[in-house]
Amino acid sequence: GHFHTRLGTLDAIARFGVFTGDAALISWVNKSYEWALTKCTAFGWTPGDLKEQAYEHETCSLVDLIATGITLAKSGYTKYWGTVERFIRNHLTESQLLEMDWVKEADDRSGDVPGWLTHHNIAQRTRGAFAGYSAPNDFCCDVSHGRGHTNDLQICCLGSGTRGLFMGWSNTITEKNGAISVNFLLNRGSVWLDVDSYLPHEGKVVLHIHRDLPRLQIRIPEWAGYAKVSYVREREGSEAVSGRGSDSSMWVNEHFLTLGAAQAGETITVTFPLSSRTTIENAIGQTFETHWRGDDVVNISPKGTQHPFYSGRKVYDEAPLK
């Protein structure tokens, strides 16, 4: 069946399970979600279905995975925080149409068919939209199979892509019963603290505390391990305090480092090893050699040809600060 409608339904069932407190239903969603992930790439490309639409990835399906993954992570399946961050950092971000110099357009309406076809200022009018049918390595899908969709834009994907960005932003920092959790290692400001992420350039995250917090925890990516995770806590007028993640008592929920209480004005710098690795990703019979730095894809082979994904990302030894 159609992946988007099935995954959208799974998202709704997950939220219904949380609303009703039905652990068995959430467990069923988890099994279904795990199966769906086997049909997708680790960076977020999804099939349209498993038949004639197989090559037609939709941003809608990706955001369904993001939404369902967040609900499951909040329900105790904390491994999905990392899964969702990879989706947000990679295929969701790549799918947004921001660089427009490759788009062909006209500066007048002489070639338009009113109500049906337009060539006028296409780049300016569509900037910020999300891919309707992208390939794993390109905004345009150019395969011999399927129904021939290539570089469509659809309003549903525009709305879904925007929602996906918002869900990443709104769940980077969460609060529950006074405890603050940093779930995604993305830049984010809040009333409690600001997160400065140096990824993918450096394995470093800096937390600037704005309010006294009774409990603070931060997710460390699974590829960073435990033994070489360290932190330094600094507060004006006090001596800096350092610690290491080798203390098993500091870890909860698989990959969350507990930092205890934090005080307003405190700065906490967390560092960890940065992973560089290569994986082979399968997308309905197509294989892609994928190079990662942390959770970011920094190169992919074969490269795209029309509007390539993952080929223009720059990585530095030290994060360029703005």
Side-chain angles (χ1 to χ4, degrees):
H2 184 218
F3 237 55
H4 169 36
T5 53
R6 270 57 174 182
L7 291 175
T9 302
L10 195 66
D11 173 28
I13 294 171
R15 288 184 281 115
F16 180 74
V18 171
F19 181 76
T20 58
D22 191 334
L25 194 58
I26 294 294
S27 177
W28 178 85
V29 170
N30 173 56
K31 288 193 294 183
S32 301
Y33 190 78
E34 284 190 334
W35 177 87
L37 291 179
T38 66
K39 307 302 177 184
C40 308
T41 68
F43 52 81
W45 182 90
T46 66
D49 63 14
L50 299 181
K51 293 186 178 180
E52 71 276 0
Q53 288 181 262
Y55 298 94
E56 298 169 7
H57 161 84
E58 297 181 46
T59 298
C60 292
S61 299
L62 172 54
V63 175
D64 294 333
L65 285 177
I66 289 171
T68 308
I70 289 173
T71 300
L72 286 170
K74 287 182 170 180
S75 300
Y77 296 92
T78 54
K79 63 182 179 180
Y80 294 131
W81 288 119
T83 301
V84 171
E85 178 157 344
R86 284 191 291 276
F87 291 167
I88 293 171
R89 284 181 172 273
N90 295 294
H91 218 65
L92 180 63
T93 303
E94 290 290 292
S95 294
Q96 190 172 29
L97 193 57
L98 298 176
E99 297 176 4
M100 310 301 297
D101 55 356
W102 64 290
V103 178
K104 296 178 181 179
E105 60 180 354
D107 56 8
D108 61 51
R109 296 186 179 276
S110 60
D112 288 6
V113 179
W116 181 248
L117 183 68
T118 180
H119 302 273
H120 179 244
N121 288 349
I122 293 298
Q124 176 185 341
R125 292 160 62 191
T126 56
R127 186 176 188 273
F130 286 81
Y133 299 115
S134 71
N137 62 349
D138 202 304
F139 189 91
C140 304
C141 181
D142 183 19
V143 294
S144 301
H145 310 285
R147 301 185 304 172
H149 291 289
T150 55
N151 55 347
D152 296 9
L153 295 178
Q154 292 128 280
I155 297 300
C156 59
C157 289
L158 192 161
S160 288
T162 305
R163 184 169 69 97
L165 293 177
F166 172 74
M167 294 192 74
W169 177 86
S170 60
N171 286 281
T172 293
I173 304 171
T174 55
E175 182 273 339
K176 186 175 182 180
N177 298 326
I180 302 299
S181 180
V182 179
N183 307 308
F184 298 135
L185 304 186
L186 304 170
N187 293 311
R188 166 74 203 273
S190 75
V191 296
W192 304 294
L193 77 161
D194 291 350
V195 180
D196 289 347
S197 176
Y198 287 65
L199 296 166
H201 313 285
E202 303 176 55
K204 181 167 74 171
V205 179
V206 181
L207 309 178
H208 303 276
I209 311 302
H210 299 319
R211 293 182 177 179
D212 290 346
L213 306 174
R215 184 184 175 194
L216 174 64
Q217 64 182 32
I218 179 173
R219 184 183 63 83
I220 305 299
E222 65 274 12
W223 40 259
Y226 300 93
K228 295 185 179 181
V229 177
S230 61
Y231 64 88
V232 176
R233 307 182 69 144
E234 300 171 278
R235 188 159 54 93
E236 188 175 353
S238 299
E239 187 175 343
V241 176
S242 61
R244 298 189 66 84
S246 53
D247 182 354
S248 59
S249 66
M250 297 190 63
W251 296 90
V252 295
N253 298 330
E254 294 186 273
H255 292 287
F256 279 86
L257 178 69
T258 60
L259 297 168
Q263 294 183 319
E266 187 175 5
T267 299
I268 306 174
T269 301
V270 182
T271 58
F272 43 82
L274 192 57
S275 166
S276 294
R277 62 197 186 280
T278 300
T279 63
I280 301 299
E281 301 294 330
N282 294 293
I284 311 296
Q286 305 172 92
T287 59
F288 297 87
E289 185 176 271
T290 308
H291 301 272
W292 301 79
R293 187 174 174 93
D295 279 323
D296 289 71
V297 175
V298 294
N299 201 5
I300 192 168
S301 179
K303 295 184 181 298
T305 57
Q306 301 297 318
H307 184 53
F309 285 169
Y310 306 113
S311 59
R313 293 187 164 189
K314 299 188 186 316
V315 178
Y316 303 91
D317 291 333
E318 294 185 4
L321 302 180
K322 296 183 179 179

